[in-house]
Amino acid sequence: MKPMEYQNRHISREQLLSNTLHHFATITKHKALVFELCTKAGLPCQGLTHDLSKYSPTEFSVGAHYFQGDRSPNAAERHDKGFSEGWMHHKGRNPHHYEYWTDMREGGDGTLYGVPIPTRYMVEMMCDRIAASKVYKGKDYNDSCPLEYFELELSFGNLPMNPESAAFLYALLSLLAEKGEDETMRFVRKRIVEPRFIYTPGGAF
C-alpha cells in the first residue's frame, strides 16, 4: 500500500490508523488523569475542560501522524519540521501552560517575558505535569518525576516563565516529591484553592 506523507515523515495507512487509535487513547487517558487530580485539588471544572483543543483537527492530526508513546508528538513534529504547528495551536488556547502567559516587553525590542500566572492555572499546570509524567513514565513513575523534569527545564536557563510563578510551581512539585500525591492535593485544596490564595502581589486567583 502506498505510504502517506506528512511533511518529511512517511507512514503507511495502517500505521496512521494505529497511531490514531493510540494517540486518542493516550490523550484521553491523560485528560482523565488531569480531571482526577484537579478534582482532588478542588478544581473539577478545569479538569473537565482540560486540553479539549487536543481533539481539534489541527492538533489531533499532528498527534496521529507523530504519535510516539513515550513523548509528546509535538516534539517529534518539531524534530521533523523545525517547529510544531500542533504546539503553537495548543499553547495559545490553554492557559495552564506558562507559554500562554508570555508577552513582549514594552519598548519594541521583541523580548518575551513571563507575566504572573493566575493561581488556578498554576494548580492545573501542576496536575497536567503529574498526569503527563504518569503517562510517559508508566511503571517508572514516582512522585519526584514532575519535579525532576521541571528542574531540567530550569537548568537550561532560558525559561520564559514569570519568576514568582516558577517559584510557586517549584514549591508545589517539591511538596509532591516530599509528601506524595494525596497529601499534596489535600494541601492544595484546603490551603490554596478553597481560600483562593494568590501567591504573588498583583496576581489573581
Side-chain angles (χ1 to χ4, degrees):
M1 189 171 289
K2 184 179 180 182
M4 294 185 67
E5 182 177 357
Y6 191 80
Q7 290 297 119
N8 301 320
R9 188 170 187 248
H10 296 265
I11 59 174
S12 68
R13 294 182 188 274
E14 290 87 351
Q15 186 62 56
L16 177 60
L17 176 59
S18 176
N19 282 4
T20 299
L21 295 174
H22 282 94
H23 178 61
F24 179 81
T26 297
I27 62 176
T28 302
K29 178 181 179 180
H30 171 78
K31 186 168 168 48
L33 286 170
V34 173
F35 174 70
E36 178 185 344
L37 291 163
C38 281
T39 299
K40 287 182 179 179
L43 294 170
C45 289
Q46 279 182 234
L48 194 63
T49 59
H50 178 84
D51 273 358
L52 286 177
S53 69
K54 284 187 176 180
Y55 298 92
S56 68
T58 300
E59 293 183 37
F60 193 85
S61 62
V62 169
H65 282 88
Y66 286 99
F67 176 78
Q68 302 287 291
D70 58 352
R71 65 171 178 161
S72 169
N74 295 332
E77 184 191 23
R78 192 173 294 112
H79 177 77
D80 183 28
K81 297 164 60 176
F83 63 96
S84 172
E85 291 181 74
W87 173 241
M88 289 189 290
H89 186 274
H90 187 76
K91 70 179 181 178
R93 290 161 176 80
N94 293 276
H96 62 274
H97 290 291
Y98 67 80
E99 292 90 343
Y100 181 98
W101 299 95
T102 57
D103 199 356
M104 289 186 292
R105 293 192 183 280
E106 187 178 8
D109 66 355
T111 302
L112 291 176
Y113 76 107
V115 302
I117 303 169
T119 301
R120 64 185 183 276
Y121 295 121
M122 292 298 303
V123 173
E124 186 181 353
M125 184 190 301
M126 176 192 67
C127 294
D128 179 56
R129 286 169 173 263
I130 295 170
S133 293
K134 286 183 175 182
V135 169
Y136 291 127
K137 288 285 188 178
K139 61 181 178 59
D140 295 325
Y141 173 82
N142 63 66
D143 288 326
S144 295
C145 289
L147 176 62
E148 290 168 0
Y149 185 80
F150 188 47
E151 287 177 333
L152 179 63
E153 289 181 287
L154 291 172
S155 71
F156 295 122
N158 59 353
L159 207 65
M161 185 176 184
N162 178 265
E164 287 80 12
S165 299
F168 186 51
L169 178 62
Y170 194 92
L172 293 175
L173 297 180
S174 296
L175 181 63
L176 174 72
E178 181 182 351
K179 300 294 186 179
E181 183 179 306
D182 288 342
E183 187 167 339
T184 298
M185 292 304 165
R186 187 162 47 248
F187 175 87
V188 169
R189 185 179 70 254
K190 294 296 185 182
R191 302 292 296 275
I192 295 175
V193 173
E194 289 181 1
R196 299 179 67 84
F197 174 72
I198 296 175
Y199 66 90
T200 184
F205 180 77

